[in-house]
């Protein structure tokens, strides 16, 4: 398989750097091809701005969705963005690796999504009618690919548990899993999460590394999170609400977007 | 009152720019002092990196939490970050305004949080014992201040409803409300959300503007989201799980962190 690993930590000599090396080595040992987008090392431009749209006239308003669509359609996205798009199209598996900062991905990775997931490429595509609401949530340009997060946290596993104070990790990651990866069509695997990353001793690292290797060995067969496909009949169009007869009675929230019988929020 | 509005849109002639002007004008009309941090206009550096820690020796590993704590304690954070910290300390009310991009804040604003909410300032403070787990979630350097989001979305209100495909807006914003604003002590007001921002006609704008003015007029008395305080006795220490006898039986997820009887997820 071909694997793209997008890495968002500023320090190669960090725990994240070590875990990345473990993952890449195991993938290569298995005969997979691997490309790494090391955002800090590449000097990735984190924020979408006028620099992304060199052909936008200076007196024209910058509306990112409009400008992004025009530049994508005209083949005028900047080279750094086109390189990342090419890597995404090349990959069978896309891995995003990052430390959880303020309960989400680092700014530099968020900016990678904002700039690379262009309008006309990753969103704003497909027919909108009474049968379909665009190619998204299970359909789209990344359909057929698998995606997965590798995440480290400073906090304890219990702090991210079902009743932990930070909120459940699956709910915190839902906007990324469902809103960024499933949206343009990826199947999303359960995340690899390493808690209390600041307190890891040598034995702890060895165990974490072996758990990560196992995830790399099972990329192809690990069951994906069973999100409902938008255009599969489960949602009312155009309000895109789950049909009243589906999901547990009165159920609300992120978990209703999992298929019946999946029995878990992840 | 003193109000800091942190603005994260690249185009002043956008709907967000117009709404910002409406908010600022109304606040000034009421006699409040207003400062605006216009991140794009300021050329805000979005990503935390070695540039944030000029006194870090080049051969020393960059571990952001460690470096941030050392720089904050030594008064060696960069001037742009210190200016933002000063504005936060000055303000009675902190407003973050942004378009919802990929179900979260824009990268440039996320980077503002990562750089300005330094370790020793906004996190990593206070005693950790069997009675307390640091000054956070209702306590901290921003205690006594109120905070609120002004958010625009391209999607429809129903898409962000309790069973809408994007997930409920309150859950999508929880990592910001609870994890970024309540964490260092702010009281968090319900957000101002404007849906279908790309489809607004003149009458729609007038209504949205008036609704925003009303929110500005009621900043001082709008009830805040009743998040439970971490050190108020509701959580087990150190696992920081909500005590089993609290919350609806078996309840899980973000909503358990609201006080009993508040009757809503926001």
């Amino acid at each position: 398989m071909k694997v793209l690993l997008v890495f968002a930590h500023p320090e190669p000599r960090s725990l994240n750097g070590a875990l990345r090396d473990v993952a890449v080595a195991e993938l290569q040992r298995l005969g997979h091809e691997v490309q790494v987008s090391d955002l800090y090392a590449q000097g990735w431009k984190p924020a979408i701005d006028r620099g992304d749209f060199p052909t936008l006239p200076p007196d024209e308003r910058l509306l990112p969705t409009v400008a992004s669509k025009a530049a994508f359609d005209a083949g005028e996205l900047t080279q750094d963005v086109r390189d990342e798009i090419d890597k995404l199209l090349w990959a069978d598996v896309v891995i995003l690796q990052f430390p959880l900062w303020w309960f989400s991905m680092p700014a530099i990775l968020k900016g990678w999504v904002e700039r690379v997931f262009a309008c006309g490429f990753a969103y704003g595509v497909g027919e909108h009618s009474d049968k379909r609401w665009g190619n998204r949530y299970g359909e789209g340009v990344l359909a057929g690919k698998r995606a997965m997060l590798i995440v480290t946290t400073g906090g304890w596993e219990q702090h991210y548990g079902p009743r932990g104070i930070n909120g459940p990790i699956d709910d915190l990651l839902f906007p990324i899993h469902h809103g960024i990866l499933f949206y343009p069509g990826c199947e999303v695997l359960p995340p690899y999460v390493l808690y209390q990353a600041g307190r890891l001793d040598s034995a702890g690292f060895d165990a974490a590394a072996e758990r990560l290797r196992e995830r790399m060995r099972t990329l192809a067969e690990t069951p994906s999170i069973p999100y409902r496909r938008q255009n599969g009949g489960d949602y009312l169009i155009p309000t895109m609400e789950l049909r009243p007869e589906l999901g547990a009675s009165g159920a609300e929230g992120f978990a209703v977007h999992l298929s019946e019988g999946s029995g878990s929020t992840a």
Side-chain angles (χ1 to χ4, degrees), chain A residues 13 30 85 94 115 156 167 176 216 228 232 263:
Chain A
R13 296 162 297 174
L30 295 164
I85 286 178
V94 178
R115 297 183 60 225
W156 300 23
I176 302 172
M216 296 300 102
R228 299 173 187 272

Side-chain angles (χ1 to χ4, degrees), chain A residues 147-170:
Chain A
M148 145 176 192
L149 305 182
I150 298 176
V151 179
T152 60
T153 80
W156 300 23
E157 181 164 5
Q158 295 97 324
H159 301 181
Y160 292 94
R163 291 161 61 91
I165 194 162
N166 294 339
I169 191 72
D170 291 332

Side-chain angles (χ1 to χ4, degrees), chain A residues 21 47 53 85 101 110 124 137-138 152 156 158 168 174 240 245 249 253 259:
Chain A
D21 295 344
F53 312 109
I85 286 178
W101 285 349
K110 182 69 189 340
Y137 290 125
T152 60
W156 300 23
Q158 295 97 324
F174 178 90
M240 310 318 303
E245 66 272 23
S249 171
S259 293

